[in-house]
Amino acid sequence: MNINPRTAAELFEVQFGGPPDYLVRAPGRVNLIGEHTDYNQGFVLPMAIDRDTIIAARRRSDRVLRIYAANFETTAEFELGPWARSNEHPWADYLIGVAQQVEELGKPLYGADCVVIGDVPIGSGLSSSASVEMAALTLFETIGGFALEPGEAASLGQRVENDFIGVSSGIMDQFIVRAGKAGHALFLDCRSLQFDHVPIAMDHAVFVIADTGISRGLAGSAYNKRVRECGEAVTAICAVTGRKGSHLRDFAMADLDAARHTMEEHVYRRARHVISENSRTLEACEALRAGNADRLGIVFNASDRSLRDDYEVTCPELDLLASLGRSLPGCFGSRMTGAGFGGCTVHLVAAGIAPDFCTRLQSSYATATGIQSTVVPVVASSGAYGIPNR
Ligand code: GLA
């Protein structure tokens, strides 16, 4: 955690007078591999990172949510229902959406004064929105005296994205932000929601993230388009093979190849990415458990190629960062991470040379693009929790 929770508590005193009664935190995440597989009910391998959203809060006696967003130095106030998105304060939608879902579950919901502060970069593919959602949920659970299971909590966050924000995203981000464990990645089967904390058994390698500085502005519509294309592939495969299945998770490469002639070329490539990425995620999981950085790096590179050529969710800046990273000494492998179209790359780098790697990647990217990117090692951190407020 880089932000001291005391900072949130002090800001609360300034904004609202008196100390907060509650402090909660939730991390951002980096997806190691398993990209665009979650909404196809496949496999993912993300880890929570040492960047957080922190909320300091005090319960109110009415049904008002008053939120000071420290990152934007602005305050917004809402009634807890009727539920509507805020045009003026889009950042608040993640809290309002969570409050609505809590109420729809029939759980106790109270008004609160809140300070929200975070250092998860916004729009960089590190799940700043899931971080705010799961911090808000942890707060409402603490005040309301109830606790959801990880799957229930993550599904609630997914409903906020799907039904309130309007992005057809999967369950990965909220799941890892809720259920991450320090020193571990999380292998998740997005169909059964069974998960396993996978120890990061590599003393000799670290994960580095590099930000393109390109915010994924158009991601919403392009993302939803990919979701639809995957659905088209499923329909075509079912029609040709006579097999039953609801998601690409249900099919092997041979099924896809049998139906190739009936679908548009780009739809075929989308499905080829998803089916092959599921296999790569299983392989990466084994490599991580075995502490085999060479093998994990190779799988990273293959995933990146597939996302660039078949799924077409990279952009020139992501491709550049990934290839610059790969060309530096001590890099085992590089790939884009998250939804794509901008945001971050993740690199697996020999531990001893990580500081040098960061400096060199930052400077060669700046020379090529004029963009000062942030390139930093990240540490696998814990999922959301309430911080004892002493
Ligand atoms: C975004 C979505 C996730 C997932 C990734 C791509 O982060 O929120 O559900 O689909 O993109 O892997």
Side-chain angles (χ1 to χ4, degrees):
M1 178 182 330
N2 290 328
I3 299 181
N4 188 334
R6 288 302 327 150
T7 307
E10 281 159 21
L11 280 169
F12 186 93
E13 298 226 27
V14 172
Q15 291 297 319
F16 297 107
D21 293 330
Y22 305 98
L23 276 172
V24 296
R25 71 163 275 281
R29 67 100 186 89
V30 60
N31 189 21
L32 299 183
I33 197 163
E35 217 66 86
H36 290 277
T37 47
D38 61 352
Y39 51 84
N40 290 297
Q41 296 198 350
F43 308 123
V44 293
L45 186 65
M47 77 182 201
I49 59 173
D50 47 340
R51 297 284 183 284
D52 299 291
T53 302
I54 295 182
I55 305 182
R58 193 168 57 200
R59 184 177 151 180
R60 293 174 61 112
S61 52
D62 55 14
R63 282 180 53 91
V64 167
L65 203 53
R66 187 149 207 271
I67 317 161
Y68 175 70
N71 296 62
F72 306 121
E73 296 183 350
T74 181
T75 301
E77 193 171 305
F78 305 93
E79 292 283 333
L80 293 175
W83 305 103
R85 285 179 63 180
S86 165
N87 292 327
E88 201 186 337
H89 301 287
W91 54 267
D93 288 344
Y94 300 100
L95 294 116
I96 302 170
V98 168
Q100 176 185 19
Q101 289 298 330
V102 166
E103 182 143 278
E104 286 184 5
L105 278 184
K107 303 292 183 190
L109 179 67
Y110 300 100
D113 291 329
C114 310
V115 165
V116 182
I117 183 170
D119 65 353
V120 185
I122 295 170
S124 294
L126 300 175
S127 286
S128 57
S129 55
S131 177
V132 173
E133 286 159 7
M134 291 299 105
L137 178 59
T138 307
L139 176 69
F140 292 131
E141 286 176 286
T142 314
I143 301 182
F146 65 97
L148 302 182
E149 292 298 318
E152 285 178 303
S155 301
L156 183 151
Q158 188 186 12
R159 288 198 296 279
V160 173
E161 296 284 344
N162 295 172
D163 304 340
F164 198 62
I165 309 290
V167 179
S168 313
S169 51
I171 199 162
M172 166 172 71
D173 301 344
Q174 290 79 9
F175 209 105
I176 177 64
V177 167
R178 173 69 175 216
K181 181 172 172 187
H184 294 70
L186 182 139
F187 174 78
L188 175 67
D189 177 333
C190 298
R191 168 161 282 172
S192 65
L193 297 190
Q194 284 190 334
F195 65 97
D196 196 8
H197 289 117
V198 183
I200 300 182
M202 289 186 298
D203 294 338
H204 62 301
V206 294
F207 295 105
V208 166
I209 49 174
D211 193 343
T212 57
I214 307 292
S215 187
R216 51 183 188 91
L218 285 177
S221 56
Y223 184 99
N224 290 352
K225 188 157 176 252
R226 293 297 179 281
V227 177
R228 283 197 302 277
E229 288 164 347
C230 291
E232 284 175 38
V234 168
T235 309
I237 297 171
C238 290
V240 169
T241 63
R243 294 195 46 205
K244 285 200 175 32
S246 57
H247 291 80
L248 282 172
R249 161 69 180 278
D250 296 305
F251 303 103
M253 208 57 97
D255 301 315
L256 174 64
D257 283 334
R260 182 174 189 167
H261 63 285
T262 67
M263 59 181 89
E264 288 186 64
E265 177 61 18
H266 72 276
V267 172
Y268 170 77
R269 285 188 285 111
R270 306 296 188 251
R272 182 166 64 184
H273 163 74
V274 173
I275 294 173
S276 60
E277 183 80 349
N278 276 330
S279 309
R280 282 187 292 271
T281 305
L282 294 171
E283 190 183 344
C285 202
E286 270 179 40
L288 190 59
R289 273 186 206 286
N292 188 336
D294 288 304
R295 189 167 160 214
L296 186 56
I298 291 168
V299 186
F300 266 30
N301 291 338
S303 167
D304 194 56
R305 262 196 310 279
S306 178
L307 286 155
R308 185 192 62 197
D309 299 339
D310 276 357
Y311 219 63
E312 296 183 283
V313 289
T314 63
C315 61
E317 293 82 1
L318 277 170
D319 294 341
L320 180 66
L321 263 182
S323 73
L324 286 173
R326 257 176 234 130
S327 70
L328 289 173
C331 181
F332 294 100
S334 304
R335 56 179 296 276
M336 60 143 279
T337 182
F341 310 104
C344 286
T345 50
V346 57
H347 309 259
L348 183 60
V349 179
I353 59 124
D356 188 44
F357 175 89
C358 293
T359 313
R360 291 178 69 176
L361 183 55
Q362 196 166 22
S363 108
S364 46
Y365 183 71
T367 306
T369 61
I371 301 172
Q372 288 299 330
S373 101
T374 305
V375 185
V376 283
V378 281
V379 175
S381 302
S382 162
Y385 59 78
I387 305 165
N389 183 16
R390 263 176 257 130

